[in-house]
Amino acid sequence: VAQRLAERTGGNPLALLEVPLVLSTAQLAGSQPIDEPLPLGPTLGRALLHRLSGLPPNARRAVLVAAASGAERLQTVVDALDALNVDRSVVDAAEHAGVLAIAGERFEFRHPLLRSAVYHGAAGPARREAHAALARVTSDEARAWHLAHATVGEDEAVAATLERAGLDARRRGGPAAAAAALERAARLSRPGEARVRRLTEAARDAHIAGRPAGALRLLDDALAGSHDALQRADIQHVRGRILTLQGQTDVAYRLLVDEAQPIRQLDPDRAATMLADACVARLLSADVRRAVVAARDACAVAARA
């Protein structure tokens, strides 16, 4: 976390003093992702936004679209301005004011923290307008995230789009990106089966990404919203695997055996897999006798699968 803050602030001393004050304990501990763009403290934000004071309203809108884009490709920003019916020439005003630097097809903010100041200094409706415009001119994962940022409340269509983006990130070998997308998809879902499933899948990827504490927090949320025996088994299976790899093998073994019991007849395949993982937990604690018992039990259940 310290390294990431140093990189994102460019080592700015005031930022390094203020930014940790607006981050949560979980973010500072590394168990929850830090938002992008980086949130700033009030003093630094006001100082940076002073650069925008002379810009006309549409130029400010253009700068906000650039900040919300999360990219460095100028054409994306220009296309979004077209979608907003804003003359693309306002980008020149932002460049003349020393806010943006444009080189060929790419742009960047003149100060490494200016993007954060612009984004977090804007009102919520203005940010959502920018993201909605960007969603109209982007595709795939970028579009899914812009739709999510443009949405107020719960929206199943947007949640499903973001879930697909998360699963695509998983297939590409990006568990951190997958976890972030699946968790946000869950937060956009109404209470019920879909939200529980997305929270559980987010926990799988958060664990693989090296955030076991965050994964367990997601599983707690999923369990609180679950009223289905098979979903509960999935949640507790993931929890058991995490606890095993954390070295809590006794707790993991008992959890996996107990949670497999109610679904032995309902879904013997799933129950057998849980019992096999209980066997692994016992082997890792050198309890061979109970490991063999769990393995035999798993085989007996699997024979019906």
Side-chain angles (χ1 to χ4, degrees):
V1 171
Q3 181 180 354
R4 180 164 296 182
L5 291 181
E7 291 171 352
R8 293 192 185 182
T9 61
N12 182 286
L14 182 56
L16 290 171
L17 287 173
E18 287 199 344
V19 171
L21 300 178
V22 297
L23 298 178
S24 69
T25 302
Q27 287 174 319
L28 291 172
S31 61
Q32 185 176 338
I34 296 174
D35 297 333
E36 182 64 35
L38 190 70
L40 299 179
T43 305
L44 184 59
R46 285 194 299 269
L48 290 167
L49 287 176
H50 180 70
R51 300 189 183 201
L52 277 66
S53 58
L55 287 178
N58 274 345
R60 288 182 175 228
R61 289 174 80 190
V63 171
L64 177 56
V65 169
S69 71
E72 298 176 353
R73 188 169 179 267
L74 183 61
Q75 191 60 45
T76 302
V77 175
V78 170
D79 289 344
L81 292 177
D82 289 342
L84 291 170
N85 293 317
V86 173
D87 192 324
R88 60 178 65 187
S89 65
V90 296
V91 173
D92 294 335
E95 187 176 24
H96 287 313
V99 177
L100 298 179
I102 298 173
E105 298 178 350
R106 311 192 76 77
F107 76 92
E108 64 180 18
F109 282 86
R110 288 284 189 181
H111 189 284
L113 291 172
L114 192 50
R115 177 179 172 237
S116 294
V118 168
Y119 187 82
H120 292 291
R127 286 201 300 265
R128 290 191 289 273
E129 178 193 59
H131 282 296
L134 287 161
R136 292 167 62 182
V137 300
T138 53
S139 59
D140 301 328
E141 187 174 351
R143 175 179 178 272
W145 273 109
H146 287 307
L147 284 173
H149 289 308
T151 300
V152 177
E154 297 159 352
D155 189 311
E156 176 56 30
V158 177
T161 300
L162 197 54
E163 180 182 19
R164 288 192 294 273
L167 295 176
D168 285 344
R170 177 189 289 175
R171 284 189 285 270
R172 295 195 307 269
L182 288 163
E183 179 177 1
R184 185 60 182 270
R187 305 304 179 194
L188 289 167
S189 310
R190 295 186 182 277
E193 183 274 335
R195 172 178 282 190
V196 171
R197 183 188 71 250
R198 288 161 182 158
L199 286 169
T200 306
E201 294 303 314
R204 293 183 199 275
D205 288 297
H207 172 48
I208 295 170
R211 295 195 293 111
L216 292 173
R217 172 181 55 81
L218 291 168
L219 292 175
D220 289 340
D221 290 349
L223 193 62
S226 175
H227 305 287
D228 177 82
L230 292 178
Q231 274 199 328
R232 177 186 173 90
D234 277 344
I235 294 164
Q236 298 296 64
H237 193 180
V238 177
R239 189 189 305 276
R241 285 177 165 172
I242 294 173
L243 293 174
T244 296
L245 294 176
Q246 284 187 319
Q248 301 184 55
T249 52
D250 290 343
V251 178
Y253 169 80
R254 181 46 51 200
L255 175 76
L256 290 166
V257 170
D258 290 347
E259 295 293 339
Q261 186 63 30
I263 64 164
R264 292 165 75 101
Q265 301 298 327
L266 189 62
D267 191 335
D269 184 39
R270 201 173 312 200
T273 308
M274 294 176 73
L275 291 168
D277 279 339
C279 171
V280 172
R282 274 288 153 233
L283 286 174
L284 290 176
S285 61
D287 187 345
V288 176
R289 182 183 62 81
R290 279 193 285 186
V292 171
V293 170
R296 286 175 174 159
D297 196 14
C299 285
V301 176
R304 302 194 302 274

